[in-house]
Amino acid sequence: MKKDYSEYFKGPSLKDARKRFKEDVHHIDDAYEIPADMAGIGKGKTYFIKTYGCQANERDTEVMSGILETLGYTHDDDLEHADIVLLNTCAVRDNAEEKVFGRIGMLKKIKRENPGMIFGVCGCMAQEEVVVNRIKRKMPQVDLIFGTHNIHRLPQLLKAALLEKETVVEVWSKEGDVIENLPSHRAKDKKAWVNIMYGCNKFCTYCIVPYTRGKERSRLMEDVLREVNDLKDHGYLEVNLLGQNVNSYGKDLDADYDFATLLEEVAKTGIERIRFMTSNPNDFSEGMLRVINEYDNIMPYIHLPLQSGSTAVLKRMNRGYTREEYIELFDKLKELVPNAAVTTDIIVGFPNETEEEFEETLSMFDHCQYDLAYTFIYSPREGTPAATMEDHVTRKEKEDRLQRLNEKVNYYAHKANEKYLGTVQKVLVDGPSRKDPNVLAGYTETNKVVNFKGDPAHIGQIVPVKITEIRTWSLDGEEVE
Ligand code: SAH
Ligand code: SF4
Ligand code: F3S
């Protein structure tokens, strides 16, 4: 069933994006259309897309690449001479946004020399009215702005941008339906991102994502399984099931399955490696732990964002769990899946975080001994509740805390790697390492990067690698028979 989209808002509004409507989300198979006069419009022309955000954004880039290729465009790394340049942006922290504004500035000069270029800004920043207004007012080099819910309309939007002199803006603040069957050009040929759900309903008080990505909408299990089976048939070895909070999978559907069911069904397809992210500790079920333990092709690697080790801060963040509940879950996880590597995300300097509260985060590391942690200084996001909280912690103090935290992170990351020394690990070989083309790089089952001496003919395969040296962020090794 096709939907009449005219009822949707045309411009971004974070206030509207906050609303969660009860109405049903439809799963639509035929929303994607190429206007007759756009067919083949890109023949002989090139496109370039720069991705700034998370895995959800990377997956969106693959879909946009697929759409542009069905119009005839081909990918080219040469941004300066490309016919279409899209910046797929991220709004999660201020520094991500500043990078984008820097790039938009650079493109002013490039567009002067290549006036035929269509320059578009999309992704999460496009969902923020402050950003769209700033671009419209001051950055006429931008031809097109479109949001995260408007991607399938790229052919229509491109057509408008080719005809219009003014910046074309189409951002729906309210999420649309779940759109299936979009073209896509995947970045890799052995590892694939697979969306299982879109959006987020958690509303952590610091976070912009529920506003930029809309309410939680799960894909139907049959559609996810079809995609995984298709990837497997095409030689893919690894799928990474994506959602802002995969543990909520299925809750919005009128169906009798949840994430544990989906995980089990994906495991039964027999694809070599299954990963998933992100799991909110809040609704991690025992059923999930059972399934993870039962199937060898579900990788023993779990990203379990803590954000803060202090119950008081967690409450101000609206995370929905206490320090003790997190520890209980963590311990159960380690008990049921003892070989699992666990990583986390931490925000330091949340408004009015006290020294004692920060030390509670540090002490969580002594308990959990994470394999790795991604650490951030809190960045106020306009429109979120935390942005209106008064904050007495100085920037300098926040930076000091980040540094102290990173010392802990590195200490335990190195410690976690020590047990790998001398072992043989199964490594999915990605390709030559970034630093040295004579060295191969790949990932263990526990998601550790390994740089190793091996046979380049084995790129794209899973091979045994003996670990000969450990570092804080990676392992070194050599391929064995
Ligand atoms: N859905 C995921 C997180 C997505 S955002 C989850 O809930 O785990 C990725 C990470 O960015 C978050 O885990 C958090 O640590 C960080 N982050 C989000 N908003 C932030 C902000 N306003 N300032 C600093 N870091 C933030
Ligand atoms: Fe943001 Fe929280 Fe949703 Fe993660 S769960 S995307 S941190 S609101
Ligand atoms: Fe950034 Fe949007 Fe992902 S804000 S983290 S790109 S969902």
Side-chain angles (χ1 to χ4, degrees):
M1 186 191 62
K2 222 177 261 186
K3 186 150 185 162
D4 173 12
Y5 287 103
S6 56
E7 68 195 72
Y8 287 72
F9 310 110
K10 283 279 181 205
S13 155
L14 291 180
K15 217 164 130 227
D16 289 336
R18 195 179 165 81
K19 293 179 191 143
R20 289 292 182 261
F21 297 87
K22 279 253 161 36
E23 70 196 43
D24 287 346
V25 165
H26 300 284
H27 294 78
I28 302 186
D29 292 329
D30 60 353
Y32 176 65
E33 272 172 345
I34 300 180
D37 49 358
M38 289 296 282
I41 192 132
K43 272 225 177 78
K45 297 186 171 164
T46 62
Y47 74 90
F48 174 95
I49 307 179
K50 168 89 183 151
T51 313
Y52 290 86
C54 62
Q55 294 81 3
N57 253 33
E58 287 189 34
R59 181 69 191 124
D60 287 345
T61 291
E62 293 181 342
V63 170
M64 292 190 286
S65 301
I67 292 176
L68 292 175
E69 288 173 21
T70 59
L71 298 175
Y73 292 92
T74 51
H75 174 262
D76 196 333
D77 278 333
D78 179 8
L79 176 151
E80 296 197 12
H81 299 99
D83 298 287
I84 298 183
V85 171
L86 298 179
L87 305 186
N88 191 9
T89 63
C90 173
V92 84
R93 281 173 294 275
D94 186 54
N95 52 6
E97 295 209 345
E98 284 315 312
K99 267 192 231 160
V100 171
F101 282 119
R103 186 58 81 97
I104 297 177
M106 262 171 57
L107 270 144
K108 189 170 187 176
K109 191 167 151 272
I110 294 172
K111 253 210 93 167
R112 225 178 283 136
E113 276 150 35
N114 180 6
M117 171 193 283
I118 294 288
F119 173 29
V121 176
C122 56
C124 287
M125 280 171 73
Q127 297 293 135
E128 298 177 284
E129 56 262 52
V130 274
V131 169
V132 172
N133 291 340
R134 181 166 159 192
I135 294 176
K136 279 208 296 195
R137 246 192 353 258
K138 294 195 183 142
M139 302 162 195
Q141 66 270 35
V142 178
D143 302 295
L144 173 61
I145 304 173
F146 60 100
T148 58
H149 308 303
N150 307 64
I151 288 173
H152 62 288
R153 295 201 7 98
L154 187 51
Q156 286 77 6
L157 297 172
L158 211 50
K159 179 175 169 179
L162 286 163
L163 295 173
E164 286 275 335
K165 265 188 111 41
E166 298 283 301
T167 309
V168 173
V169 181
E170 187 179 282
V171 181
W172 295 333
S173 294
K174 182 167 154 308
E175 65 288 334
D177 295 313
V178 172
I179 315 257
E180 295 292 342
N181 297 329
L182 290 176
S184 102
H185 178 133
R186 294 190 186 266
K188 298 200 168 121
D189 61 1
K190 297 292 167 194
K191 303 206 293 198
W193 308 116
V194 174
N195 284 317
I196 63 166
M197 59 189 300
Y198 306 96
C200 181
N201 288 352
K202 290 277 183 246
F203 287 105
C204 303
T205 53
Y206 51 81
C207 184
I208 193 81
V209 173
Y211 305 79
T212 63
R213 292 278 171 177
K215 80 170 172 185
E216 282 175 4
R217 289 149 288 144
S218 300
R219 289 179 72 198
L220 298 176
M221 185 154 77
E222 68 215 49
D223 289 325
V224 175
L225 291 176
R226 193 178 309 120
E227 186 171 336
V228 173
N229 277 312
D230 187 53
L231 288 162
K232 184 170 171 254
D233 292 345
H234 283 86
Y236 277 82
L237 297 178
E238 180 173 310
V239 289
N240 199 328
L241 309 177
L242 294 183
Q244 291 301 339
N245 173 24
V246 291
N247 309 359
S248 296
Y249 174 77
K251 287 184 182 166
D252 57 309
L253 297 174
D254 188 16
D256 57 356
Y257 49 76
D258 59 11
F259 184 59
T261 330
L262 176 76
L263 203 51
E264 182 154 21
E265 291 305 313
V266 173
K268 284 185 194 158
T269 65
I271 191 147
E272 293 277 339
R273 288 183 162 198
I274 300 154
R275 302 187 189 279
F276 55 89
M277 66 187 315
T278 303
S279 280
N280 189 307
N282 197 8
D283 39 21
F284 204 108
S285 70
E286 279 215 49
M288 279 169 62
L289 289 176
R290 183 188 58 75
V291 175
I292 295 166
N293 204 19
E294 199 165 313
Y295 291 87
D296 286 344
N297 55 348
I298 304 177
M299 294 297 101
Y301 165 73
I302 292 165
H303 185 59
L304 196 65
L306 168 68
Q307 311 300 358
S308 165
S310 149
T311 297
V313 175
L314 288 169
K315 193 151 192 243
R316 301 208 291 278
M317 289 177 163
N318 191 31
R319 283 295 284 182
Y321 53 88
T322 62
R323 173 189 175 90
E324 289 71 29
E325 283 163 348
Y326 185 98
I327 291 177
E328 197 185 324
L329 170 65
F330 183 92
D331 290 350
K332 206 183 293 167
L333 193 166
K334 282 283 181 174
E335 185 191 320
L336 292 177
V337 195
N339 60 337
V342 184
T343 57
T344 201
D345 288 350
I346 304 285
I347 297 176
V348 298
F350 188 77
N352 300 320
E353 180 190 58
T354 63
E355 172 61 23
E356 291 72 33
E357 287 168 343
F358 170 66
E359 283 171 11
E360 288 192 84
T361 298
L362 291 181
S363 70
M364 277 299 263
F365 275 73
D366 297 326
H367 182 87
C368 301
Q369 310 206 357
Y370 292 107
D371 283 77
L372 212 56
Y374 303 90
T375 56
F376 312 102
I377 291 186
Y378 166 71
S379 169
R381 305 284 72 210
E382 197 173 316
T384 63
T388 60
M389 295 177 189
E390 225 185 305
D391 188 1
H392 303 296
V393 191
T394 63
R395 179 80 198 172
K396 165 94 179 59
E397 214 161 327
K398 294 185 188 209
E399 282 166 4
D400 284 351
R401 284 181 192 167
L402 182 69
Q403 205 189 334
R404 285 161 65 199
L405 176 63
N406 284 342
E407 278 163 22
K408 273 257 186 223
V409 171
N410 292 343
Y411 173 79
Y412 284 112
H414 197 274
K415 188 156 182 257
N417 285 348
E418 279 167 12
K419 59 180 173 292
Y420 286 79
L421 193 62
T423 65
V424 174
Q425 298 292 319
K426 290 184 197 148
V427 173
L428 171 49
V429 191
D430 272 351
S433 90
R434 252 183 297 170
K435 284 192 196 136
D436 182 351
N438 298 314
V439 172
L440 297 176
Y443 285 83
T444 67
E445 297 198 324
T446 49
N447 213 33
K448 304 268 175 196
V449 186
V450 187
N451 295 303
F452 65 100
K453 290 187 214 103
D455 183 351
H458 294 165
I459 290 171
Q461 298 178 15
I462 295 172
V463 299
V465 174
K466 183 161 187 186
I467 306 305
T468 53
E469 203 172 325
I470 52 163
R471 298 171 191 278
T472 303
W473 292 79
S474 64
L475 308 170
D476 291 346
E478 47 196 53
E479 192 176 338
V480 289
E481 288 303 308

